[in-house]
Amino acid sequence: MDVKNAFLHGDLQETVYMKMPPGYTHAGGRIKVLSEGEKVEKPKNEKIVCKLKKSLYGLKQAPRQWFAKLRSALISNNFTQSRSDYSLFTKKEGHSFTCILVYVDDLIVTGNDMKSITEAKAFLSSQFYMKDTGELRYFLGIEVDRNNQGIFLCQKKYVMDLLAEYGLNGCKPLKLPMDSHLKLTPDGGDVLTNAEPYQKLVGKLIYLTITRPDIAFTVHVLSKFMHKPTNVHMQAAIRVLRYLSGSQSQGILLASKSYARLQAYCDSDWACCPSTRRSTSGYCILLGDSPISWKSKRQAVVSRSSAEAEYRSMALTVCEVIWLKQLLKDLSLTHLGTTLIHCDNQAALAMAANPVHHERTKHVDIDCHFIRDKATEGVIKPTYISTTEQLTDVFTKLLPTKQQRHLLSKLGVCSSALSA
């Protein structure tokens, strides 16, 4: 369910003053509205302000005060705020489970008991002016479709609007989001006189990666040049739109009939950045057969070997797995067992298993070695996987068309809505 609140304000817990709005003046110790053509001279050096009792819409304190007000109301109704994601509130009563997810003034209400959901919505309506928009179909640019196979998420309308904005409706689609022979560098091409169009386009593409893991690596590369883009970078960004024109309805399937277990894939592309020689880490995490988390990120330091780059990527993946387990625990998924971490580098697996520091690992930051502790505790289990079946290759490098399609299909990426 999607519930919307009409007012975004809360009671202020701090002293905030506001400048007088246009058309108001101070006269005789009282504030009055000026009539048309009326003029009142304000005494010299007199500064008049308004002391706010509530946080007005647009005030920088408004989102925080609104959330504090909403949080207080939900907790008073026996909801519990998640420590893993502060925008998530859950309520358990016997076998009944209700969940509320908050994004500013938009709320998604769900659960396993319709009676409890109705009671939660009635409570919210009694506290705030609410608008119930019914079953969730469209939320923050994400389209939701469901049937017996599961829930299909896509951003088709978002893609169509993006193509229309850049005049690419009906253009010839491309098979890959980036030219496999192109190596983007900071000084390649002529610097754009105005970087804002490029920054806006890449920002919109970043939001599209919520349901499009196939462009995550390309967008990661493009985002490295936000501060000083060139015409070559802009052409590469436009190419992504041409790729999207051939797969507008593509999205991800959250399968309803898969076993509830976490499994993760991690990989890296060693020294792939031609200007900094830093490696790119990538991971994807599946709950059953459904992708729920993925990332492509440049490593903070230069790795001295491919094994070290893979090891750092594994550490990043383990951090995400631990957080997801805590989050899923709040959603009553507690029996997830040991999470398999699939890696295609035998040296990195040996580093994760061997507690002895030697020449190849003594320079690695100590925070990376917590992988061994989590493996000993049974939280994770590093496991070898063939390079041809490494799903994370999608997030670390450009792949041939056939291999890209093969891995995306295993990731749960679909090209159209679910069939009945």
Side-chain angles (χ1 to χ4, degrees), residues 220-393:
H220 155 73
V221 174
L222 295 174
S223 64
K224 294 190 294 185
F225 310 106
M226 296 282 268
H227 63 291
K228 195 177 180 181
T230 68
N231 61 332
V232 175
H233 304 146
M234 189 65 180
Q235 291 170 7
I238 295 296
R239 179 190 170 94
V240 179
L241 296 180
R242 293 185 61 189
Y243 166 76
L244 294 172
S245 67
S247 56
Q248 298 180 23
S249 60
Q250 184 170 293
I252 56 174
L253 174 64
L254 304 180
S256 60
K257 297 180 180 179
S258 60
Y259 184 67
R261 65 171 181 177
L262 280 179
Q263 55 177 334
Y265 296 80
C266 65
D267 194 19
S268 72
D269 193 6
W270 180 46
C272 63
C273 181
S275 55
T276 64
R277 309 312 298 175
R278 294 184 187 179
S279 306
T280 296
S281 291
Y283 67 72
C284 61
I285 302 173
L286 283 70
L287 179 61
D289 297 328
S290 307
I292 59 173
S293 180
W294 55 84
K295 177 174 282 190
S296 180
K297 182 178 181 180
R298 185 169 57 173
Q299 294 183 0
V301 298
V302 177
S303 297
R304 297 178 62 186
S305 65
S306 60
E308 181 186 342
E310 295 274 359
Y311 191 58
R312 292 185 183 278
S313 179
M314 191 185 299
L316 182 68
T317 308
V318 173
C319 289
E320 184 72 5
V321 167
I322 293 172
W323 176 77
L324 281 173
K325 282 196 168 186
Q326 294 171 346
L327 181 63
L328 292 171
K329 185 178 180 181
D330 292 334
L331 296 173
S332 296
L333 288 175
T334 55
H335 303 291
L336 293 172
T338 301
T339 300
L340 298 181
I341 307 292
H342 299 288
C343 176
D344 60 4
N345 188 285
Q346 294 282 15
L349 292 173
M351 290 166 65
N354 185 5
V356 178
H357 289 258
H358 47 75
E359 290 296 327
R360 296 185 62 182
T361 62
K362 66 181 182 181
H363 64 282
V364 179
D365 291 339
I366 193 67
D367 60 348
C368 291
H369 293 304
F370 83 107
I371 298 173
R372 301 167 182 167
D373 298 332
K374 296 303 175 183
T376 303
E377 295 170 12
V379 176
I380 62 159
K381 181 181 179 181
T383 308
Y384 179 76
I385 189 172
S386 170
T387 301
T388 57
E389 298 300 318
Q390 177 55 275
L391 303 186
T392 319
D393 279 352

Side-chain angles (χ1 to χ4, degrees), residues 1 79 88-91 97-101 108-112 117 120 330-331:
M1 308 299 290
F79 277 87
L88 177 66
F89 295 84
T90 58
K91 182 179 181 179
F97 177 79
T98 308
C99 173
I100 297 178
L101 185 64
I108 295 178
V109 184
T110 187
N112 62 358
I117 293 175
D330 292 334
L331 296 173

